[in-house]
Amino acid sequence: MDQTMHTQTTAVHAGNRRDDAFGAINEPIYMTSNYRIPTDGSPVDWSGIHSNIYARNRNVNQMVLQDKLCALTGGEDAAVFASGVAALASVFVTFLNSGDHAIVSEVCYSATNLLFRKYLPEKYQVQVTFVDTTDTEAVKAAIRPNTKLIHVETPGNPTTGISDVDAIAKLAHDAGALLSVDATFAGPICIYPLKHGADLEIHSMTKYINGHGDSLGGCVIGRTELVDQIKELAMVNFGGILSPFNAWLVARGLVTVPMRMKQHSAVALAVAEFLEKSPAVRFVWYPGLKSHPQHDRAVALMNGMYSGMMSFDIKGDEATHQKFLNALHLVTHAVSLGDVESLIVYYDKTSDKLPHYPKIYHEGFFRFSVGLEDAEDIIADLQQAFEACGLV
Ligand SMILES: *Cc1c(COP(=O)(O)O)cnc(C)c1O
C-alpha cells in the first residue's frame, strides 16, 4: 500500500488480497480451521505465528484486518482478538510478571479496573497504582524501580478526560516501562497514540472500528517485536482469537471508519454545543468544547475530530433522570458505544465507580455515544425529552 495515500483511500484498499482463483473483488471469508501443510517435508512449528497452519495461530481474514489497522494507525503489526477485553488482557499477561508494578488510569473500563484492582494483584502478585493520568505529575510520582507498564485510557471511559500521551510516553521510556493506550473512546483516526510515543495502541473494535453494533472484537497495534510476543503467548496459547467471519465483518466496518469518525465528530460537537447552552443541563464534558478541562491537550492530540463520546448530566432528582431516559425516542438506552445509532446510559449515584471520577460526576450522569443521525434530529429528541421532564 502506497503510504502517501489519503486516509479514506487507505481504509478502502489496505490489506486487500487479490483473489487469483476466481477474481473476486471482495475478500472471501476463509471459514477454515485448518490449512494444508506444505508437502516439501520442511519442519512444521505447531505453535508458529508466521504461516497458516491452524486458524488459532494465523488466518487470512485476520491478516486482512491487521494490515488495514496498521495502515490506518501507523503501526508495524497488529493482533486481533475476539473482544476488546481479550486484547487488553493479552497485553497485561504478556508484559507483566509477578512482582512487576503497573500504573493504570483510575478512570478506565470496568474489566481493566477489575483485573488490576483484584485478579492481577491477588492471583499473580502484580503491584498496581491507579492514578489520575490526566495529571502527568501524578503519573511521574507513581513510578517505581519495578514499573513495567503504564496503561492509559484516553479519552477516559466515561469521563472523556485526556491524558498527555507524549509526556507519559517519555516518563515510561525513561523508567524502562512500556506505555499502552486504550483509545477505544476516540476510535482510530481521531487520535494516533503510536505517533505520540505509545508502544501499544488498543481498541475494543466492538465500538467504532466495526461501528455497526453487530460484532465484538479487539486489537493491539505496535512494533512487530512487541506484537509477536503477544501473538506467541496470548493468541496461540490463551486462544481468544477473532473468528474469520467476525474479522471479515470488522474489516468491512473499518473501510468506512474515516468517514464515520468525521460524521460522529461533527454531529457530537453540535449536540455538545446544544447541551452546553441548555438550561436543563448541569454539566457537559466533550473534548471538542473549549470548556472541557483538557481541551488544549485534545486539540494537540486529536486531529481536529473529537469522536462521538461525551458525558453530561441534567438537573433534577433520580426520578427525573429515569423519566428523561424513558422520554427519548430516537436515542436508545443501551450500554455499548461507537454504534451507527445514538446510545445513552445512566450512571446513577449508587455506582461504585463514581468515587474514581472527578467530583462533578458524583451526583450521577449520562454517557452519551452520539451516532450518525443528523444533529438536528438528535437535538430535537433531547429537547422534547427535556420538555417532557419540565426542565425547560
Ligand atoms: C467496550 C470497551 C472495552 C471492552 O471491549 P469489549 O469489546 O466489550 O470486550 C475496553 N475498553 C474500553 C474503553 C471500552 O469502551
Side-chain angles (χ1 to χ4, degrees), residues 279-353:
V281 172
R282 189 166 68 81
F283 78 90
V284 52
W285 274 25
Y286 178 66
L289 289 179
K290 285 198 176 59
S291 57
H292 186 281
Q294 293 94 31
H295 175 69
D296 291 346
R297 201 177 276 166
V299 170
L301 262 177
M302 286 189 78
N303 208 20
M305 293 190 285
Y306 302 96
S307 173
M309 297 307 305
M310 66 186 68
S311 50
F312 72 96
D313 193 26
I314 57 172
K315 294 169 184 165
D317 58 12
E318 290 288 304
T320 310
H321 285 71
Q322 282 306 324
K323 196 169 176 191
F324 171 70
L325 283 176
N326 294 337
L328 293 167
H329 300 311
L330 188 68
V331 177
T332 304
H333 186 193
V335 290
S336 197
L337 59 100
D339 205 334
V340 288
E341 63 175 286
S342 293
L343 304 175
I344 194 165
V345 277
Y346 181 48
Y347 291 67
D348 72 36
K349 255 189 235 178
T350 63
S351 166
D352 59 356
K353 302 193 185 90

Side-chain angles (χ1 to χ4, degrees), residues 101-104 128-131 136-147 150 171:
H101 175 246
I103 297 170
V104 180
V128 182
T129 310
F130 284 97
V131 300
T136 307
E137 286 305 307
V139 178
K140 189 174 179 187
I143 291 175
R144 299 181 192 169
N146 59 338
T147 303
I150 302 181
L171 289 176

Side-chain angles (χ1 to χ4, degrees), residues 148-174:
K148 290 287 151 52
L149 179 73
I150 302 181
H151 178 72
V152 166
E153 203 174 290
T154 202
N157 177 0
T159 63
T160 76
I162 307 287
S163 299
D164 186 341
V165 178
D166 300 86
I168 297 174
K170 184 161 188 327
L171 289 176
H173 298 155
D174 287 349

